[in-house]
């Protein structure tokens, strides 16, 4: 043995073939012919002076030497890939952020121009999805998530203490003076929060208003997306029990009005999340600082309301 490392191309061919236990599949992955891949593996075996594969009629298996090398080769290429990604992040000016579709549509997208104007050197990319994405596998730099707690092994920071409050267009809101008036109005239901326990919805709001159980509380159209219920209310169709973060912009612009300043505080919160240590990345730190500033208006809105915790 001479200690000199074999050609990287030969090691790459071996790692792919060992992972697939197929020369054909490894060749397809590496975009070479099976003959070229087989040649690279022979180069490696000659370099090490040992067989790495048992070549059978219709399959290949690893020899003891191949079994010893395979996990170390896989680890080495994974480390190299992470190193390449680290270098790319140093020179990459883009920032990929994932958030739920409703939050992206009602909060992030309308404010995008403010961030772009203040930070033209950072290119924001949004991925609207309810799926909890993996920062490495999915190529996501940061996430804004709604839920009860933080994920393990990640940096997490609370952005918004969420609440729900009744909202209506100005004309309908002008006809409402009491909670009884709300009960007589068309009610919209947001089923996107149906998973939160205790139940979030009109029955809970009427109990907080001192009206107990109301049959009217469960009547009316139901929406699977929170932003659809809010948009329906803005068009004058009825009253929605809207999440403050999603309705705040329409309220500020006068498209929506809070007829009764009584809301329900939710156990779920909007959190900013990224890989542990990534919060110091200049792009992510800049975006997080912007989020902190932009979300203060939601806290100020909450201060104008009588908020009740959800009752069991």
């Amino acid at each position: 043995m001479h200690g000199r490392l074999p050609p990287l191309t030969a090691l790459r061919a071996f790692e792919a073939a060992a992972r697939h236990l197929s020369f054909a599949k490894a060749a397809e992955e590496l975009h070479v012919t099976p003959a070229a891949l087989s040649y690279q593996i022979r180069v490696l075996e000659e370099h090490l002076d040992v067989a790495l594969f048992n070549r059978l009629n219709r399959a290949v298996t690893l020899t003891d030497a191949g079994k010893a090398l395979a996990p170390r080769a896989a680890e080495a290429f994974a480390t190299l890939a992470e190193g390449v990604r680290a270098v790319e992040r140093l020179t990459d000016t883009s920032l990929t952020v994932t958030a739920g579709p409703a939050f992206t549509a009602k909060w992030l997208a309308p404010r995008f121009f403010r961030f772009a104007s203040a930070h033209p050197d950072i290119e924001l990319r949004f991925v609207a999805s309810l799926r909890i994405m993996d920062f490495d596998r999915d190529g996501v730099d940061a996430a804004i998530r709604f839920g009860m707690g933080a994920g393990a092994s990640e940096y997490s920071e609370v952005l918004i203490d969420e609440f729900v409050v009744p909202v209506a267009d100005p004309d309908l809101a002008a006809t409402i003076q009491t909670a009884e008036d709300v009960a007589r109005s068309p009610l919209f239901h947001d089923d996107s929060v149906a998973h939160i326990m205790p139940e979030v919805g009109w029955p809970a709001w009427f109990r907080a208003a001192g009206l107990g159980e109301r049959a009217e509380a469960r009547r009316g159209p139901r929406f699977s997306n929170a932003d659809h219920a809010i948009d329906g209310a803005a068009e004058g169709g009825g009253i929605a029990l809207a999440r403050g973060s999603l309705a705040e912009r329409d309220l500020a612009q006068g498209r929506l009005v809070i007829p009764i300043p009584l809301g329900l505080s939710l156990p779920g919160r909007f959190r900013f999340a990224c890989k542990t240590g990534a919060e110091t990345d200049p792009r992510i730190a800049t975006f997080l600082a912007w989020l902190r500033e932009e979300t203060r208006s939601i806290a100020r809105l909450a201060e104008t309301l009588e908020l009740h915790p959800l009752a069991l």
Side-chain angles (χ1 to χ4, degrees):
M1 301 297 289
H2 36 64
R4 182 170 53 86
L5 285 177
L8 185 63
T9 303
L11 282 170
R12 187 71 184 94
F14 165 76
E15 188 278 330
R19 180 160 31 86
H20 290 291
L21 286 180
S22 167
F23 285 11
K25 290 182 179 179
E28 182 179 355
E29 176 185 312
L30 299 179
H31 304 291
V32 298
T33 65
L37 183 122
S38 182
Y39 170 76
Q40 290 297 332
I41 292 174
R42 284 200 306 273
V43 168
L44 180 59
E45 289 176 325
E46 291 172 2
H47 180 94
L48 298 174
D49 195 24
V50 65
L52 298 172
F53 290 96
N54 297 308
R55 292 161 172 82
L56 309 177
N57 288 335
R58 295 183 178 274
V60 294
T61 62
L62 290 168
T63 64
D64 288 343
K67 291 176 182 177
L69 180 60
R72 292 168 175 82
E75 181 180 355
F77 279 104
T79 301
L80 280 173
E82 178 57 32
V84 170
R85 286 193 293 268
V87 172
E88 290 174 343
R89 284 193 291 269
L90 290 175
T91 58
D92 189 5
T93 61
S94 67
L95 184 67
T96 302
V97 179
T98 181
F103 191 82
T104 300
K106 300 298 288 183
W107 200 92
L108 270 177
R111 290 168 171 79
F112 164 72
F113 75 95
R114 296 183 192 172
F115 184 87
S117 297
H119 306 285
D121 54 322
I122 300 177
E123 178 188 348
L124 272 185
R125 300 173 181 173
F126 298 136
V127 180
S129 175
L130 292 176
R131 181 170 67 86
I132 302 299
M133 294 191 171
D134 182 90
F135 294 118
D136 288 324
R137 184 183 63 247
D138 296 312
V140 171
D141 297 301
I144 300 173
R145 297 170 177 160
F146 179 75
M148 307 289 281
S153 303
E154 66 183 24
Y155 175 83
S156 177
E157 180 177 321
V158 174
L159 292 174
I160 302 167
D161 291 313
E162 189 63 294
F163 58 90
V164 293
V165 68
V167 296
D169 82 293
D171 291 337
L172 178 56
T175 68
I176 298 171
Q177 302 296 322
T178 67
E180 288 284 2
D181 294 334
V182 174
R184 288 189 286 267
S185 302
L187 302 179
F188 290 167
H189 302 268
D190 172 15
D191 284 343
S192 71
V193 291
H195 65 285
I196 296 178
M197 298 301 292
E199 180 186 5
V200 180
W202 285 112
W205 188 86
F206 282 117
R207 288 194 295 270
L211 299 184
E213 297 296 331
R214 299 295 297 242
E216 302 96 323
R218 298 191 182 277
R219 295 175 183 166
R222 315 194 73 88
F223 298 86
S224 60
N225 293 336
D227 50 326
H228 296 171
I230 293 172
D231 289 343
E235 294 299 323
I239 306 176
L241 194 58
R243 285 152 62 177
S245 60
L246 306 185
E248 186 256 349
R249 183 169 177 269
D250 288 322
L251 289 167
Q253 294 180 344
R255 295 182 68 230
L256 289 172
V257 174
I258 299 174
I260 305 291
L262 171 68
L264 302 172
S265 56
L266 303 187
R269 295 168 162 182
F270 275 103
R271 293 175 178 269
F272 173 89
C274 64
K275 290 179 62 176
T276 299
E279 69 275 11
T280 61
D281 181 304
R283 298 166 304 146
I284 294 178
T286 297
F287 182 63
L288 179 54
W290 178 78
L291 286 175
R292 293 186 188 118
E293 184 65 30
E294 287 289 325
T295 53
R296 287 178 182 173
S297 59
I298 302 173
R300 290 193 293 267
L301 173 62
E303 293 172 355
T304 68
L305 306 172
E306 179 186 340
L307 292 177
H308 291 234
L310 285 174
L312 291 172

